[in-house]
Amino acid sequence: MGYTFLFHFVEGLLSMYGFDLYEGIYHRRFYERKSLVCDIEEPFRCIIDEAVRKAHNLGQISQKDFGYTNGAYFLQWEAIQKYSRIFARAILDHKEDMYRYVYEFYRYLLDESRDFPVYCIYGATYVNRAYTDESRETQRQKEDRAMDEQAED
């Protein structure tokens, strides 16, 4: 459920930039699968994993939220709203980082001399390497230099 929320959020971000959602990088084109969304969603799965771990440790979720019928587990109807709230909050808490990652991915595809965006987790803190002060300054310098070169031509 959490990964589904994440999938659709990432799909929306990629759609803003006009990406072909069916043409992936790591995931191959497969009938009606949005392969690029599957690719870009991967670094953000830790957000959902962290939300589940935190909710479990705080006693907000438990085994009682699930049922078992005909050899399959399912989320109890009464628990759906609770889980939806947990996953939506986790995604919204990191929406700016996800937006920046997709933005930097878009910029990378336009100019492969740029750094490929990296999204990694350190403890409970999420860091987008593309937006550290050092790399931001370096990127500004590159953009300024390119503008100067265009002005000279």
Side-chain angles (χ1 to χ4, degrees):
M1 181 177 183
Y3 293 146
T4 301
F5 282 26
L6 181 62
F7 180 93
H8 291 293
F9 188 83
V10 170
E11 178 184 12
L13 292 174
L14 291 168
S15 295
M16 287 185 349
Y17 288 99
F19 281 105
D20 178 356
L21 304 177
Y22 297 92
E23 193 63 45
I25 296 170
Y26 299 111
H27 290 83
R28 295 183 186 265
R29 184 180 280 263
F30 185 71
Y31 180 73
E32 292 191 21
R33 178 178 66 192
K34 296 178 180 175
S35 297
L36 184 60
V37 180
C38 294
D39 289 340
I40 301 300
E41 172 188 37
E42 289 298 327
F44 304 120
R45 287 178 173 265
C46 59
I47 294 169
I48 299 302
D49 297 343
E50 177 70 12
V52 170
R53 187 187 63 77
K54 181 180 176 184
H56 180 267
N57 289 344
L58 293 173
Q60 296 171 339
I61 60 175
S62 71
Q63 289 180 344
K64 295 176 187 174
D65 296 333
F66 296 90
Y68 183 80
T69 302
N70 298 327
Y73 289 95
F74 62 93
L75 185 61
Q76 299 282 0
W77 179 254
E78 303 80 32
I80 290 175
Q81 184 177 16
K82 174 173 51 173
Y83 281 76
S84 296
R85 195 176 317 113
I86 289 167
F87 297 137
R89 174 59 41 215
I91 291 168
L92 292 175
D93 285 347
H94 300 287
K95 67 183 178 200
E96 291 178 25
D97 291 335
M98 289 189 277
Y99 172 82
R100 283 189 216 120
Y101 181 90
V102 171
Y103 173 77
E104 288 297 326
F105 178 71
Y106 174 77
R107 300 279 308 264
Y108 170 79
L109 291 178
L110 294 176
D111 177 10
E112 291 186 6
S113 67
R114 299 173 65 92
D115 288 339
F116 187 84
V118 174
Y119 187 84
C120 48
I121 182 171
Y122 296 106
T125 304
Y126 301 88
V127 178
N128 183 338
R129 188 172 62 89
Y131 272 81
T132 61
D133 289 337
E134 181 181 338
S135 66
R136 186 180 303 135
E137 186 60 33
T138 303
Q139 189 57 42
R140 279 195 208 122
Q141 291 170 349
K142 286 180 187 176
E143 290 170 356
D144 290 345
R145 192 171 27 259
M147 289 175 54
D148 291 342
E149 290 172 4
Q150 286 178 348
E152 291 174 6
D153 292 339

